[in-house]
Each structure stands twice: as C-alpha cells, then as structure tokens.
Amino acid sequence: MSDTLFDFGMVGLGVMGRNLLLNMADHGFAVSGLDLDPNKALALENEADKGKPVKGTTNAEEFIHSLRKPRALMLLVPAGKAVDAAIASLLPYLEPGDIVIDGGNSYFPDTDRRVVELGERGLHFFGMGISGGEKGARFGPSMMPGGDRQAYERLRPIFEAVAAKVNGEPCVTFLGNGSAGNYVKMVHNGIEYGIMQLIAEIYDFMKRGLGLNDDPLEQVFSDWNQTEVQSFLIEITGEILKKSDDVTGQRLVNVISDRARQKGTGKWTSQNAMDLQVPLPTVDMAVTMRDLSAYKDERVLAAQQLGGISANAAADAGNQEVINQLRSAFYFAMLATYAQGFVQLRTASKAYNYELDLQEVAKIWRGGCIIRAACLEDIRQAFATNPDLPNLLLDANIGAALHQHQADVRAIVKLTIEKGIPMPALLSTISYFDAYRSAILPTNLIQAQRDYFGAHTYERIDQSGIFHTQWN
C-alpha cells in the first residue's frame, strides 16, 4: 500500500467525503483521504473492503505525494473560510496541472475567485455540487461539475462510474465554465427549498384543515409516490410520517420543533435571482417561511391575541376529493417551481458565460439528487425539443398539464383562506402562473407613480422614447 499511487484524493473524511471515497473504491479506483482527525482517517480504512487500495492519513504532504499525476483531489469541508484554509495548507505540495475540486456548497463568487487564484499557479480548480446526502454519496449521487473542460476528462471516468444511473446514463456531466457547477447546485437547493415548503403546507392542510391523523397522513404520501408526483421528497415524507419516537412512543415528527434551520443556499438563490431580475416567488416564500419559523415566541403570543387556527375536529367522507385536489395542486406547484429555477439557470448562463445545456441539467437531476422526480424526464424532453425554450410554462406538454391542474389549485386556495391555514408558497405559485400569462399587468400605474413622486420617467405603448409628465 505504501508504494501505491492513488487515483483520487479526498480532503475531509466526514460522512459525505468518506462515503464518496468508498463508492470510488467499490468501482475499482485507488483512493486516499486526508483528515486532521486521526479517528476519521482510520474509519475510512476500517470501512473499506479488505484488499481494496484505500488509505487514510492526517499528513498533508504524504497525502499529496501519494496521488498519481496530474493529481486530482476534492475538498469536502464547510463552505467559506474552511475551503480557503484547506487550499492554503495544500498549496506548498501541489504542482502545475493538478486539479482541485470543491465538492461543498460554496457561494459561486468564491468559486470564481478561486479559479483565478489557483489558475495563476497553473492549477485547475473545479466547483462541483454533489446531491444525494449520505446514501447518495455511498451508492450514487448526482454531481454537478464546472470549470475547465479539458481537465474534466481526467475526472470523467471516476465520476461517471460512481454517479447515480437513470436508464444506464450517469447523473453527472460537465456543466460549463467557471463556477457553473456551484451555481447549478445553488439553484438545485433553491428548488429544493420551494418543494419542501409546498409539501409542508399540504401536510399542514391535511392535518389541521382536514383532521387527518398520523396513519392516514403517512398513507396519503406513500400512495402519492406511485402517481405523477413521484419524487424523492414525497417518498421520504411518507417514511418520516411513520417513524416512531423511541422516547415518547409518538410519531417522531410530532415532537420535532417547528423552528426550521437553513445553511444559506436558498437565500443565495433568491438574492441572486433578484440581482438577475428573475422572478422566483415560490423559493422566495420558502426562505421567508423558514425565517418566520424562528419567531416561535411571537407566533405563540400572536396565536393567543389574534386567534390561532383551531384544528378540524375529525376527518369526514368528503376528504378524499380534497386530498385528490391537493395532489393535483402540488403537481402544478412543483412543475412551476422547476420552471422558475430553470429560468434562473438560463439567465445566469448568459450573464456569467456558463454555456449551460438545460437538457443536461434536467438529465442529471433525474437520479441521485434530493429533487429527483418523475417529472424531470418531461422537463428534459421539453429542452430536448426546444433548447431555447425561455420558460417551461411555454412548453406545449407542460403548459397543458398546468392548465389541466390549475382549477384544483384555485379550489385549495379558496379552502385555505377560508380555514386560515397558511399556504403562502402555493398562493405565490398560482399568482406567478397568473402573472406570467397576463399580457397586461398593472405596472403601468407603478411607472406613473414613480414619475409623479420622483420624475423617474416612463415609456408609452403608442410612441417610442422616454417621457416625463408634470402631474400636479
């Protein structure tokens, strides 16, 4: 083992890093891992199958020199300063032509900076989003690399071997220039925020609005995963709802705090969408609701003073029709959320010169990743038919599906307002649909108001040019 030159190296042997290396070893690649914690380095070797070339170390120089040239190594450490610190610790031992990959959720401007900084030293730097969690890393994630296309060829056989497969096709591809990989992963996470919020709202409506208890709730989501809304997030929701708590004996979900946490990728998606002037209302609302969840004490006080929502006493026979409408509404909102995310990807690709192929993005999201869903094949086909499609809502098939399901969304919106149960992501999504298909919006009035109080000028529909009026 001491004389082995390893095919790939990993810096950071936490759950994700260790499992991804073990996945590579299972596919015949010799791998080496570096971690400052000797227990993690030892755990890597102990978990590997006997006889496979897998090595863990705490020595950076030994680690680098164990890799065959040009060296390829990945960082799986927390985003931010930890990435820069890890790079700095390795630089004395790296040589021109070596490839450094950031596999974490780094903010894309940081990746652009590192591409330039390491490029000046003759090093290739990649930002690569990885989705699928612990199980995905071990048995097949979706991976989103971007950077230098030629350098990617050194990595492609490894990544294609370990990635999730759909119809025999690996859920990894070279996405584009610079920070394209981290950017696509950021939007992936934004879509994830939106879909999770939509599922949570529908769960809440069934529980408080329809009076469903634990068993039928779990059954609904299990049944839904055999329908058009089949997806990883629907699948795990059914599994979550049937899990019992070892301490209380209740369903575990019922003893989990409603203060939701976040690591920032959803916020980054919303912030950058605003910079690009891309409407992203479902994701924006999902971020807002996580923020609002932190105001627990105030929400409890408001429930007392403003009249909280009282749960429905019991389910009734008419619930099945409403449950079917909820599934239809979720399908509509899920498609519209993907549509918003792909508009952001298209706009960013032009703004940042990524040269993204949106069909390829949809293709690698079909398996391995958190937002994998049956409808992504329809999305892939939409971009295969028209690579220049400006918005998925304009695809004939997806547009027809949205039109077919919109009545159920409106029915649920009416019910949720009557019952006072918050479903802000669903309401934002149907409003986005209605605004996008409106040939005329009332923003003419806003232009007039801006000109009235600030002389900001306006355009006319009957003449070209810029105009200002003395309104008073």
Side-chain angles (χ1 to χ4, degrees):
M1 185 73 72
S2 60
D3 296 329
T4 300
L5 283 178
F6 295 91
D7 300 308
F8 195 87
M10 182 72 69
V11 180
L13 298 178
V15 172
M16 287 290 291
R18 186 170 69 253
N19 280 326
L20 195 56
L21 274 191
L22 294 172
N23 186 354
M24 293 177 182
D26 286 345
H27 286 85
F29 298 100
V31 295
S32 177
L34 172 68
D35 200 290
L36 297 179
D37 184 344
N39 292 325
K40 291 181 179 178
L42 184 61
L44 171 67
E45 296 186 358
N46 289 339
E47 291 181 28
D49 292 340
K50 300 301 181 185
K52 289 188 175 177
V54 177
K55 179 176 176 58
T57 181
T58 59
N59 185 293
E61 183 175 9
E62 175 188 345
F63 168 73
I64 294 296
H65 290 158
S66 73
L67 302 175
R68 70 176 178 88
K69 299 179 182 180
R71 303 179 181 96
L73 59 102
M74 180 185 294
L75 312 174
L76 265 175
V77 299
K81 294 180 180 179
V83 176
D84 291 317
I87 292 172
S89 71
L90 300 173
L91 279 178
Y93 315 113
L94 294 171
E95 299 175 359
D98 290 345
I99 304 168
V100 180
I101 306 144
D102 177 11
N105 285 328
S106 289
Y107 192 33
F108 73 95
D110 290 337
T111 300
D112 287 325
R113 169 177 58 81
R114 291 165 185 146
V115 167
V116 173
E117 291 175 352
L118 271 68
E120 292 171 349
R121 294 173 174 264
L123 301 171
H124 302 285
F125 185 79
F126 271 76
M128 184 170 80
I130 303 174
S131 180
E134 175 182 353
K135 186 175 180 180
R138 186 65 184 86
F139 300 108
S142 173
M143 296 184 287
M144 299 154 246
D148 185 296
R149 184 181 291 274
Q150 185 175 358
Y152 175 72
E153 289 303 309
R154 158 77 169 83
L155 310 168
R156 183 169 59 82
I158 300 175
F159 291 161
E160 289 186 354
V162 303
K165 307 294 190 299
V166 174
N167 300 327
E169 298 174 320
C171 293
V172 61
T173 190
F174 177 81
L175 287 173
N177 306 313
S179 58
N182 283 129
Y183 193 94
V184 170
K185 179 55 163 50
M186 180 188 75
V187 174
H188 165 287
N189 286 16
I191 294 170
E192 178 185 304
Y193 269 58
I195 294 174
M196 290 171 70
Q197 176 63 31
L198 288 165
I199 293 173
E201 291 177 6
I202 287 169
Y203 155 79
D204 188 30
F205 187 92
M206 286 193 286
K207 186 172 184 177
R208 293 198 288 173
L210 301 183
L212 269 64
N213 59 29
D214 295 327
D215 288 336
L217 273 172
E218 178 266 317
Q219 190 62 50
V220 165
F221 284 100
S222 297
D223 291 344
W224 282 11
N225 203 45
Q226 309 303 316
T227 69
E228 74 278 8
V229 300
Q230 186 280 322
S231 61
F232 175 72
L233 287 170
I234 288 291
E235 176 187 345
I236 67 168
T237 300
E239 294 178 0
I240 287 167
L241 292 173
K242 66 182 178 184
K243 179 69 174 178
S244 296
D245 176 34
D246 293 337
V247 177
T248 64
Q250 300 181 51
R251 296 296 171 93
L252 179 57
V253 70
N254 295 330
V255 295
I256 294 177
S257 167
D258 65 348
R259 286 189 175 104
R261 298 181 182 275
Q262 53 186 314
K263 291 187 175 180
T265 48
K267 179 185 71 175
W268 293 343
T269 308
S270 287
Q271 287 175 331
N272 184 251
M274 292 181 186
D275 291 338
L276 296 174
Q277 295 184 301
V278 174
L280 205 70
T282 311
V283 179
D284 294 343
M285 188 52 68
V287 175
T288 294
M289 291 306 291
R290 292 206 194 183
D291 291 339
L292 184 57
S293 76
Y295 291 78
K296 177 68 173 182
D297 294 341
E298 292 181 35
R299 289 189 287 113
V300 171
L301 181 62
Q304 296 168 354
Q305 293 189 3
L306 303 177
I309 304 159
S310 59
N312 195 311
D316 61 49
N319 281 344
Q320 189 56 52
E321 180 182 357
V322 178
I323 290 170
N324 291 339
Q325 289 175 327
L326 283 166
R327 188 188 76 225
S328 177
F330 173 70
Y331 183 62
F332 175 100
M334 179 170 62
L335 283 175
T337 303
Y338 281 115
Q340 294 166 46
F342 274 96
V343 172
Q344 182 170 356
L345 289 176
R346 174 175 297 286
T347 306
S349 183
K350 294 177 181 178
Y352 305 132
N353 192 34
Y354 288 149
E355 299 181 356
L356 296 177
D357 183 336
L358 298 186
Q359 179 194 181
E360 290 296 305
V361 175
K363 181 178 175 180
I364 65 171
W365 282 355
R366 293 177 305 167
C369 73
I370 302 302
I371 62 171
R372 62 184 184 264
C375 67
L376 276 161
E377 175 57 23
D378 298 328
I379 293 171
R380 186 200 66 76
Q381 290 178 7
F383 287 119
T385 301
N386 182 5
D388 297 321
L389 186 68
N391 191 312
L392 284 165
L393 273 62
L394 297 176
D395 175 73
N397 294 326
I398 291 175
L402 291 168
H403 184 76
Q404 175 187 347
H405 291 277
Q406 64 168 310
D408 289 327
V409 184
R410 299 184 197 286
I412 295 301
V413 165
K414 291 176 184 177
L415 283 174
T416 193
I417 291 173
E418 290 172 1
K419 291 177 177 291
I421 297 173
M423 298 186 78
L426 184 65
L427 270 66
S428 296
T429 307
I430 188 65
S431 293
Y432 170 80
F433 175 78
D434 286 338
Y436 186 74
R437 66 183 188 144
S438 293
I440 298 174
L441 290 172
T443 36
N444 57 328
L445 178 58
I446 294 173
Q447 299 310 306
Q449 291 169 331
R450 293 178 73 248
D451 191 56
Y452 187 106
F453 64 69
H456 294 300
T457 72
Y458 57 87
E459 297 176 67
R460 296 177 61 98
I461 60 175
D462 57 351
Q463 301 177 43
S464 60
I466 303 298
F467 298 88
H468 168 61
T469 294
Q470 293 295 336
W471 294 90
N472 58 350

